[in-house]
Amino acid sequence: MSIESHAKKLLVEDRKQFYDDLTRSKINVSSQKNITPMIVDFTEYSPLHKGHLFCMQEAKRLHPEALFVALIPGLFERNGRGLPYILDRYSRADLAINLGADIVVEGPPMGVMGSGQYSLCLSLLFKTLNADYIPRGYISQDAKFKIILDYINNGKGVAPKPYKIISMEDKKVLLEGKLSNDDYVIVSLSKSLTKLNFNFKNKFIFIPRLEGVSGSNIRLKISNNDFDNLDDMLPQYTIDVLKKQIELNHAPLHDTRVNEFILNRANQYTKDELLNLTLMDDKTVDNILNNRPFDKTDDLLDNISYGFSTHRKQRILSVLETGILKDDIHKYINNYPQKIRILKYKNEEILKKFKDNLNNNSIGDNKIICQ
């Protein structure tokens, strides 16, 4: 099986799972205290590098009594920038467990949502799991950004606005300018958690980013099949898994698009069908209709309009790959999470503690379902 065939298989399976989940009702939870404290960490692990490992180890050092729960983005294997992950989530879950996590839970489908939408889904998952601690690596050393972290530590929400960050409490401008992606996620999470009335005071564990580790450089080296000196940035187990998945033609997925799906929808969908796709806009649809047929996905890129996000073009490609509709993504978010999917766990004792926490927090007839 070719690597594109593997990517196609994953998308077909995930599309089925997405629409199965649409038939389920939302999990209802109370605000009971967890029986066993939980560190809930959202990280892509694409791939799991020494910076991720440092963040995990620091959180576990500070709270050795807690379960370390890794949330790994799931459906469609696309990140918030709309780009494919280097490994599928099952391999990324394997990395997490073998390098220190206790349990891995599937997170929301990031690549087919706007940044605010997946931040909301993440926050809903944090609330459903009743996270006791939320570790986040950060980059900026700006003193004003440290003020933002202090705000969040005190349980106060901050919100990203165009080229500034404001306090949700008094609308005070805390920082002018744009943040790096990792730092933006922290701010966006605090906004969504505030809207959900989730008390996150003293729950965030802010950890400075480890110097000398670059996910972009790692992926570039792997694209070139250059594994020399990668052990400076990657644990050996990550390198071993990458090599094994490459041998199986299951990686690297980050350079792979299912062009068949993209081009079929771009060339064959009616105007209404294109407009009904999530994240799609009028200008992009008109450009597609006026310039099709397209023979290559790269030609299609020039017809996707620019937005506030620099990643919009890649997100639209992911939307064309998956074919998810606006109404369906809204319904999905409104009912999220419908199920807690466990991708991997360390042992049966850990699994029991995790399920005991979930059962303790579930209310009503719609009990939490683990898989």
Side-chain angles (χ1 to χ4, degrees):
M1 179 185 289
S2 69
I3 192 167
E4 184 161 326
S5 296
H6 179 62
K8 179 179 177 180
K9 176 176 177 288
L10 290 171
L11 284 186
V12 169
E13 291 172 350
D14 286 356
R15 184 178 163 86
K16 180 180 183 303
Q17 180 178 308
F18 177 89
Y19 281 102
D20 284 347
D21 285 348
L22 276 188
T23 66
R24 301 178 185 274
S25 55
K26 184 175 182 175
I27 293 170
N28 294 312
V29 294
S30 68
S31 56
Q32 296 278 353
K33 187 176 181 180
N34 282 324
I35 299 168
T36 304
M38 294 205 294
I39 302 167
V40 184
D41 181 28
F42 164 72
T43 313
E44 296 172 348
Y45 295 146
S46 185
L48 195 157
H49 54 58
K50 289 186 176 180
H52 296 136
L53 190 57
F54 174 70
C55 188
M56 182 193 297
Q57 290 170 341
E58 277 295 287
K60 290 175 66 175
R61 180 184 65 80
L62 291 169
H63 301 284
E65 78 289 355
L67 296 180
F68 190 97
V69 182
L71 300 186
I72 294 182
L75 290 178
F76 309 125
E77 304 293 355
R78 303 291 181 263
N79 65 24
R81 299 173 294 282
L83 295 166
Y85 289 119
I86 195 166
L87 293 164
D88 64 40
R89 59 190 179 275
Y90 308 105
S91 296
R92 289 183 284 130
D94 176 60
L95 290 176
I97 291 297
N98 279 280
L99 289 168
D102 292 309
I103 197 157
V104 181
V105 172
E106 183 179 284
M110 296 173 63
V112 295
M113 297 179 175
S115 57
Q117 291 176 317
Y118 73 71
S119 179
L120 176 59
C121 284
L122 278 176
S123 298
L124 286 164
L125 200 45
F126 282 124
K127 186 174 183 178
T128 301
L129 297 176
N130 199 18
D132 295 283
Y133 307 106
I134 304 172
R136 290 304 309 171
Y138 68 92
I139 297 172
S140 176
Q141 296 302 311
D142 188 322
K144 290 185 177 179
F145 184 68
K146 298 292 182 64
I147 292 173
I148 290 175
L149 297 184
D150 287 341
Y151 258 72
I152 295 171
N153 263 331
N154 286 317
K156 298 177 181 179
V158 296
K161 299 289 183 181
Y163 303 108
K164 62 184 176 182
I165 308 299
I166 67 166
S167 163
M168 295 177 71
E169 187 176 60
D170 55 16
K171 309 305 178 187
K172 177 182 176 182
V173 176
L174 303 175
L175 181 67
E176 299 278 2
K178 296 181 72 174
L179 294 173
S180 69
N181 190 58
D182 286 354
D183 294 343
Y184 179 89
V185 169
I186 293 172
V187 170
S188 188
L189 271 177
S190 83
K191 176 185 176 182
S192 297
L193 289 168
T194 299
K195 287 187 170 183
L196 295 175
N197 295 316
F198 182 75
N199 181 8
F200 53 87
K201 184 175 182 179
N202 296 325
K203 289 195 172 187
F204 276 91
I205 305 170
F206 294 121
I207 301 169
R209 182 174 180 173
L210 191 67
E211 295 295 328
V213 179
S214 165
S216 298
N217 288 343
I218 291 168
R219 289 185 287 274
L220 180 61
K221 276 181 166 285
I222 293 167
S223 292
N224 296 328
N225 201 28
D226 177 11
F227 282 85
D228 291 340
N229 302 318
L230 267 180
D231 56 352
D232 289 342
M233 294 187 284
L234 295 180
Q236 186 59 48
Y237 189 77
T238 297
I239 294 173
D240 293 342
V241 168
L242 278 163
K243 287 181 175 179
K244 179 180 178 181
Q245 291 301 305
I246 289 170
E247 287 177 8
L248 294 171
N249 258 351
H250 290 176
L253 291 168
H254 66 293
D255 294 325
T256 304
R257 289 283 189 183
V258 185
N259 295 300
E260 174 191 344
F261 290 170
I262 295 171
L263 295 175
N264 282 351
R265 290 189 174 102
N267 290 330
Q268 296 176 19
Y269 269 24
T270 65
K271 182 173 185 177
D272 284 345
E273 286 173 326
L274 287 169
L275 282 171
N276 285 332
L277 292 173
T278 185
L279 303 181
M280 194 65 80
D281 64 286
D282 291 339
K283 185 176 180 181
T284 297
V285 170
D286 287 341
N287 288 345
I288 290 174
L289 293 174
N290 291 333
N291 293 291
R292 66 188 191 185
F294 300 98
D295 295 321
K296 295 186 298 183
T297 297
D298 286 346
D299 296 336
L300 178 61
L301 273 173
D302 295 333
N303 291 274
I304 299 173
S305 68
Y306 288 94
F308 179 71
S309 168
T310 56
H311 310 300
R312 175 173 172 73
K313 287 178 178 278
Q314 295 298 330
R315 284 180 179 165
I316 293 298
L317 286 187
S318 291
V319 165
L320 287 166
E321 273 181 305
T322 57
I324 301 300
L325 305 179
K326 290 176 181 176
D327 288 347
D328 292 337
I329 205 72
H330 289 305
K331 181 180 177 182
Y332 184 90
I333 294 168
N334 287 337
N335 287 335
Y336 190 82
Q338 306 90 345
K339 192 170 187 176
I340 302 297
R341 283 193 169 85
I342 298 173
L343 296 175
K344 204 170 182 67
Y345 55 91
K346 185 176 289 183
N347 55 47
E348 293 297 328
E349 181 185 359
I350 292 291
L351 180 62
K352 182 180 185 305
K353 288 180 178 180
F354 182 74
K355 287 187 173 182
D356 285 346
N357 277 346
L358 296 185
N359 290 330
N360 188 55
N361 288 328
S362 64
I363 58 176
D365 294 331
N366 181 29
K367 292 292 184 180
I368 291 173
I369 305 169
C370 297
Q371 177 177 312

